[in-house]
Amino acid sequence: MDERFNRWLLPPLLALLFLLIVYQYVSPACPGAACPRRPPASAARRWGGPAEREEEEAAAAAGAAEEEEEEAEAAAAALPRLVAKFPFARGELCRRVRFDMRGRDVIVFLHIQKTGGTTFGRHLVRNIRLEQPCYCRAGQKKCACHRPGGDKDTWLFSRFSTGWSCGLHADWTELTSCVPAAMERRGCAGNRTLRNFYYITMLRDPVSRYLSEWKHVQRGATWKTSLHMCDGRSPTPDELPTCYEGDDWSGVSLQEFMDCSYNLANNRQVRMLADLSLVGCYNLTFMNESERNMILLQSAKNNLKNMAFFGLTEFQRKTQYLFERTFNLKFISPFTQFNVTRASNVDIGEDVRQRIEELNFLDVQLYEYAKDLFLQRFQYSKQEEHQKNRLKRREERRLLREQRAHQWPREEAAEVAVTEDYNSQVARW
């Protein structure tokens, strides 16, 4: 009887003991310290086992390495390696102008024929995001570019803002001696000594520019009203003869255009950027030709390098980027690169191309110098921008880690408080 009773009693007792053990570990809370409490999730993250910590550290290191690798790949993709031809100092590559539009700063645009200057000039008056945009009337080329705040003074000296105030397509020699006085004649308030003039220009591949000018002259353009002022006077007819008789040179062939030895299209970019007073202006007997050419080229290089900004017709987007970085101004619409032009439609042989390069040998050297400086400035600005963004992302990640580190103790304290409050309630029950 006892043996049979014990046999029936043992299974329920064992089942009850099993239930108590299971309840001890899976119950939501235990009174007092009757059962071990699982650590909060935050604590588990922070004080996990050695294997977990190693895994987290490895994951963090892998994530950081992956981020650095992505940044390096992005920088390498954005900036193809540039082989510099000319050495430039950091100050010559880093161009930043604190342009004060409300003050007395003025942008002066030196417009060289057939370099895309008309398109760029329109960008300046119609496509810059300004506090007070330029006022352009329909049907009129000139726009009123006044400073913000009701000041009638202008911040832009260009064909489409002030007109040809210093003469048609005035060059560097004319502008530097004319602009301050021209601003005073316009009735702009302020002492000229307080103004800051920032010169800018556009350059173009010499062969393309030469062919474009030929096509323009062939259609009837002359620019014969240009003053060519130098040392206070215009050149005499003997110093600057014309290549044609009559009103214009319409219908001129490319061969005739190249055969005129005193054609101003030859080396136009060097002549318009150099200080002509250094070589006796247009007096070709002032010094020998080789010395004159050397001085003109070096003067053009120096003036171009010291300008606040210059762009290249063949690099429209880079030109837009560098202008925005230089003056801290933003364009509304992106620049468009036109690869099909009148010059590109001219089919010439290699012998003709070489002849044009010979006629413009100074411009060829200047453009090589300008292109190298332009691309080095672009690369320097892009690298500077990448470095700034990299430091910004690194700082953001550091702040995020600190924020998470401060949140973990608060989460742990909140979980402990909730558990203890629940346990106290169970104990009272």
Side-chain angles (χ1 to χ4, degrees):
M1 179 75 179
D2 292 340
E3 184 177 346
R4 185 182 303 172
F5 177 77
N6 292 336
R7 194 187 327 166
W8 285 102
L9 185 62
L10 184 59
L13 290 175
L14 291 175
L16 180 61
L17 180 62
F18 176 75
L19 290 175
L20 288 174
I21 294 173
V22 171
Y23 179 78
Q24 194 79 346
Y25 283 95
V26 302
S27 62
C30 300
C35 63
R37 203 167 51 244
R38 287 178 296 175
S42 60
R45 287 193 301 267
R46 295 173 59 192
W47 298 299
E52 294 177 354
R53 286 198 299 270
E54 290 179 1
E55 291 179 0
E56 292 180 357
E57 292 174 357
E66 185 177 353
E67 289 178 356
E68 293 294 335
E69 185 176 354
E70 289 178 357
E71 291 177 359
E73 290 178 356
L79 293 173
R81 184 179 180 185
L82 174 66
V83 180
K85 298 179 180 179
F86 299 91
F88 294 104
R90 179 181 179 277
E92 296 169 342
L93 299 179
C94 180
R95 308 300 285 179
R96 298 291 183 274
V97 172
R98 294 182 178 179
F99 187 70
D100 185 8
M101 190 169 289
R102 289 181 172 272
R104 289 290 176 260
D105 292 353
V106 181
I107 293 177
V108 182
F109 180 35
L110 194 163
H111 185 174
I112 302 174
Q113 290 95 316
K114 315 314 296 179
T115 59
T118 299
T119 300
F120 185 77
R122 290 197 180 103
H123 281 306
L124 293 177
V125 298
R126 297 178 182 270
N127 192 30
I128 295 183
R129 186 175 285 108
L130 299 172
E131 179 182 351
Q132 181 176 330
C134 297
Y135 176 67
C136 304
R137 291 184 179 180
Q140 293 187 2
K141 291 184 177 181
K142 290 198 301 181
C143 303
C145 297
H146 295 152
R147 302 183 189 276
D151 193 345
K152 297 301 180 181
D153 193 7
T154 182
W155 58 268
L156 177 63
F157 192 97
S158 73
R159 167 191 180 183
F160 291 114
S161 59
T162 58
W164 302 113
S165 300
C166 290
L168 179 62
H169 286 286
D171 55 30
W172 188 91
T173 306
E174 293 176 287
L175 287 177
T176 52
S177 61
C178 166
V179 169
M183 292 291 289
E184 295 300 320
R185 289 197 302 269
R186 291 179 56 84
C188 302
N191 192 321
R192 72 177 65 180
T193 60
L194 300 179
R195 297 185 187 277
N196 296 317
F197 296 107
Y198 297 102
Y199 287 83
I200 64 174
T201 193
M202 291 287 294
L203 295 181
R204 187 179 180 182
D205 171 74
V207 175
S208 298
R209 198 214 65 78
Y210 188 85
L211 291 172
S212 181
E213 180 166 341
W214 163 60
K215 297 295 290 184
H216 197 56
V217 170
Q218 192 181 55
R219 296 192 301 272
T222 62
W223 301 298
K224 58 185 177 183
T225 58
S226 297
L227 301 177
H228 302 295
M229 293 290 293
C230 180
D231 285 349
R233 69 176 183 87
S234 296
T236 65
D238 292 335
E239 292 174 333
L240 191 61
T242 59
C243 291
Y244 57 90
E245 296 179 358
D247 295 333
D248 55 42
W249 210 3
S250 299
V252 60
S253 67
L254 180 57
Q255 188 62 49
E256 292 174 330
F257 195 75
M258 293 188 296
D259 288 342
C260 181
S261 59
Y262 32 85
N263 190 345
L264 289 179
N266 300 341
N267 295 313
R268 182 181 289 279
Q269 295 180 102
V270 165
R271 190 184 65 257
M272 292 191 67
L273 289 174
D275 183 358
L276 298 181
S277 62
L278 298 176
V279 294
C281 300
Y282 293 89
N283 182 7
L284 300 182
T285 62
F286 186 79
M287 61 178 61
N288 64 69
E289 183 178 1
S290 60
E291 183 181 1
R292 176 185 176 88
N293 291 336
M294 183 182 64
I295 294 175
L296 285 175
L297 179 60
Q298 191 58 48
S299 176
K301 287 181 177 180
N302 291 337
N303 291 337
L304 183 71
K305 180 180 63 178
N306 294 328
M307 281 184 170
F309 163 83
F310 72 89
L312 298 181
T313 309
E314 290 74 19
F315 300 94
Q316 290 292 319
R317 292 297 178 88
K318 290 181 174 65
T319 295
Q320 175 181 354
Y321 173 81
L322 286 178
F323 182 91
E324 292 177 340
R325 292 272 294 181
T326 300
F327 289 97
N328 196 26
L329 296 171
K330 294 294 182 181
F331 289 100
I332 300 171
S333 302
F335 286 15
T336 303
Q337 186 71 54
F338 295 104
N339 293 322
V340 179
T341 62
R342 288 189 174 91
S344 65
N345 290 329
V346 178
D347 187 16
I348 59 173
E350 187 61 30
D351 55 338
V352 175
R353 174 174 292 275
Q354 290 181 1
R355 174 61 176 156
I356 295 176
E357 291 177 350
E358 291 172 0
L359 292 172
N360 294 272
F361 71 103
L362 295 179
D363 274 9
V364 170
Q365 297 178 69
L366 175 66
Y367 186 79
E368 182 183 15
Y369 176 88
K371 183 178 178 180
D372 189 62
L373 176 56
F374 178 87
L375 293 178
Q376 285 195 53
R377 284 179 176 176
F378 177 78
Q379 186 178 59
Y380 180 89
S381 297
K382 278 293 185 181
Q383 289 175 344
E384 190 179 48
E385 184 180 23
H386 287 324
Q387 179 68 14
K388 183 178 179 180
N389 292 336
R390 190 180 302 115
L391 294 176
K392 182 180 179 180
R393 289 193 297 268
R394 187 179 301 171
E395 181 66 15
E396 290 174 350
R397 290 196 295 268
R398 185 186 67 80
L399 293 176
L400 184 60
R401 287 195 298 268
E402 290 181 356
Q403 184 180 6
R404 289 174 177 173
H406 285 87
Q407 285 179 348
W408 287 343
R410 288 198 296 269
E411 292 176 0
E412 178 188 352
E415 291 179 11
V416 170
V418 171
T419 304
E420 290 180 350
D421 182 66
Y422 184 82
N423 291 340
S424 64
Q425 293 293 335
V426 172
R428 283 199 296 272
W429 293 341

